[in-house]
Amino acid sequence: MKKIVVLASGSGTNAENIVRYFEESDLAKVVAIITNNPQAGVLDKARKLGVQATVLTNSQIEDGTLQGKLENLRCDLVVLAGFLRKIPAELIQAFEKRIINIHPALLPDYGGPGMYGKYVHQAVVENEEEVSGITIHYVDENYDEGEIIFQEEVEIDYEDSWEDVEYKVRELEYRHYPSVIEYLLPNI
């Protein structure tokens, strides 16, 4: 059985979706959720789902504490689901091609520092894009530049607000992130 650890900083809707997807799986299970935000909604979701949850400070993410925790859990795959911290290079090297992220746009467009959540969707609407979507990629040392694993697009109507785009993109996230994780696991 493969062990997944989810890193999240916010409400945890993607984390919850992933936990539920693998609840009855013989292939993998989410064994822990780690956050850097002691107020994150993901903590409440983890408690309700019966998944171990841990809060680490930003310095603990940098100083090797996070890596030690992942190693102690015998983690096979690290899944970022709205985790708003850069992953240390040492951790990326230790878990090469075993850390993935989902980005709410079609990379390489609308990626990089500060481009997350509503900021991505606002930029997409301001630039009058006709499509947006999701990108699932391996994490490397640079924000949103890792090798792309999967992309899916959605059409944007000219009258869509950024909130409309966010809704459409989230639907793609919920539909595809767990199945892409499932696809990757046998090769890890």
Side-chain angles (χ1 to χ4, degrees):
M1 172 98 44
K2 302 285 185 174
K3 295 179 179 181
I4 300 167
V5 175
V6 177
L7 306 185
S9 297
S11 66
T13 56
N14 267 311
E16 178 181 23
N17 188 44
I18 293 164
V19 169
R20 291 193 185 285
Y21 186 89
F22 288 101
E23 278 178 332
E24 305 298 321
S25 173
D26 293 330
L27 176 63
K29 179 179 177 109
V30 176
V31 296
I33 294 173
I34 299 174
T35 185
N36 64 320
N37 177 1
Q39 263 65 95
V42 72
L43 292 169
D44 192 43
K45 286 184 174 62
R47 183 182 52 74
K48 289 177 181 172
L49 293 164
V51 176
Q52 173 189 335
T54 303
V55 177
L56 296 179
T57 65
N58 291 333
S59 62
Q60 288 175 308
I61 292 165
E62 295 291 329
D63 71 10
T65 302
L66 172 59
Q67 182 173 335
K69 183 142 187 72
L70 294 171
E71 290 169 352
N72 287 340
L73 289 166
R74 299 180 192 266
C75 174
D76 294 295
L77 183 66
V78 180
V79 175
L80 307 188
F83 189 65
L84 301 180
R85 293 296 304 173
K86 193 168 186 184
I87 302 298
E90 299 80 20
L91 180 57
I92 292 167
Q93 292 165 3
F95 284 81
E96 184 177 358
K97 293 243 178 172
R98 294 191 298 137
I99 305 173
I100 64 171
N101 182 47
I102 190 162
H103 187 76
L106 298 171
L107 293 174
D109 296 335
Y110 304 104
M115 291 304 286
Y116 62 90
K118 74 176 185 177
Y119 303 109
V120 171
H121 307 306
Q122 287 171 339
V124 165
V125 169
E126 286 170 13
N127 288 320
E128 299 178 356
E129 298 287 356
E130 294 180 2
V131 296
S132 190
I134 61 168
T135 302
I136 299 169
H137 64 94
Y138 290 108
V139 173
D140 69 8
E141 288 82 8
N142 301 306
Y143 284 111
D144 303 322
E145 291 183 15
E147 178 187 340
I148 293 172
I149 301 164
F150 175 87
Q151 289 185 309
E152 182 71 23
E153 66 180 43
V154 65
E155 289 184 15
I156 300 173
D157 298 321
Y158 71 92
E159 72 274 1
D160 280 350
S161 66
W162 73 262
E163 293 94 342
D164 296 326
V165 174
E166 178 181 52
Y167 176 82
K168 290 177 179 184
V169 168
R170 280 191 194 227
E171 290 300 306
L172 291 179
E173 292 174 352
Y174 299 154
R175 187 175 328 129
H176 294 290
Y177 207 10
S179 60
V180 170
I181 293 166
E182 184 176 47
Y183 171 80
L184 292 174
L185 284 168
N187 299 314
I188 292 177

